[in-house]
Amino acid sequence: GQSVAAVDDLSLSHVTADVNAREAVIGSFATHGGEVSLRRFADGSLNLQKLLRTATPSPAATAPPATETNAGPEQAWQITLQDALLDQWAVILDDSQPTTPVHLAVQDLSVHLQNLSTRAGQTGHVNLSLRINEAGSLAVQGKLQATPPSADLAIALTNLTLRDFQGYVGDRIKLLLASGAFETNLRIAASRSP
């Protein structure tokens, strides 16, 4: 069978954990040159689902765990990712569910994350870029915060070829996308109060 994912190079360094303080820090995570191949079959199932075993849980696995009566709420782990780089990846999507199958190829996918943490109030940075089916491109830059969730992102989508999405449009409405492209520049600022 066809492989679902491949990773050319992966490195992880400067990892520390303090079980008592419930804190973990990943100093550096980097990967270069990977590929993920996703397929949705005509029945709607995904090739990724075929990788996972579906087993019936045993009665012991479904029973609620025993708890101590005088134990207080457990403190959540604080996880910090200081620097992460996903560079030169590709994601291939072949969707056979629409009447006209859709093929999308994301190339040159690069994501750089800095100082991302579950610690309350800590803001990290994201820089993402990719190409879509050779002509289109997407760039995202900005700030992210996990706790409470917030994002302040600048997004630029250029030259997205509409014809590549005909399979999705044609199944919904009688419209033929013969040519055309979509472009947008926008800023998203979103947050949720704790």
Side-chain angles (χ1 to χ4, degrees):
Q2 183 183 16
S3 68
V4 173
V7 179
D8 291 347
D9 184 39
L10 184 134
S11 66
L12 183 65
S13 64
H14 301 92
V15 178
T16 60
D18 183 337
V19 176
N20 293 330
R22 300 181 65 79
E23 187 173 84
V25 176
I26 300 167
S28 176
F29 171 83
T31 178
H32 181 81
E35 181 175 305
V36 176
S37 296
L38 302 173
R39 289 192 54 116
R40 184 165 70 158
F41 301 103
D43 66 1
S45 65
L46 299 172
N47 63 336
L48 295 177
Q49 291 171 309
K50 297 181 186 294
L51 295 176
L52 305 174
R53 287 176 105 201
T54 54
T56 307
S58 66
T62 58
T67 59
E68 294 181 26
T69 56
N70 55 355
E74 198 169 90
Q75 178 185 344
W77 274 81
Q78 300 294 319
I79 301 171
T80 301
L81 178 58
Q82 292 178 336
D83 192 64
L85 178 63
L86 189 83
D87 192 38
Q88 295 299 307
W89 273 68
V91 178
I92 308 301
L93 170 66
D94 287 305
D95 192 347
S96 300
Q97 192 173 39
T99 305
T100 303
V102 174
H103 173 81
L104 297 174
V106 172
Q107 301 108 357
D108 299 331
L109 170 62
S110 292
V111 181
H112 189 193
L113 301 170
Q114 293 176 299
N115 300 319
L116 201 58
S117 179
T118 59
R119 187 175 305 282
Q122 185 166 332
T123 300
H125 298 274
V126 62
N127 189 349
L128 174 143
S129 64
L130 57 86
R131 288 186 308 118
I132 305 167
N133 283 3
E134 299 292 330
S137 65
L138 174 69
V140 178
Q141 293 180 341
K143 298 176 182 180
L144 294 174
Q145 183 175 294
T147 310
S150 70
D152 186 0
L153 303 171
I155 301 171
L157 179 63
T158 58
N159 206 27
L160 184 65
T161 306
L162 296 177
R163 184 181 61 242
D164 296 337
F165 299 89
Q166 175 62 42
Y168 297 125
V169 173
D171 282 356
R172 307 281 187 263
I173 57 175
K174 292 185 182 213
L175 177 68
L176 176 63
L177 297 175
S179 66
F182 179 77
E183 294 193 14
T184 188
N185 287 299
L186 56 109
R187 180 170 178 216
I188 294 177
S191 64
R192 190 178 86 192
S193 299

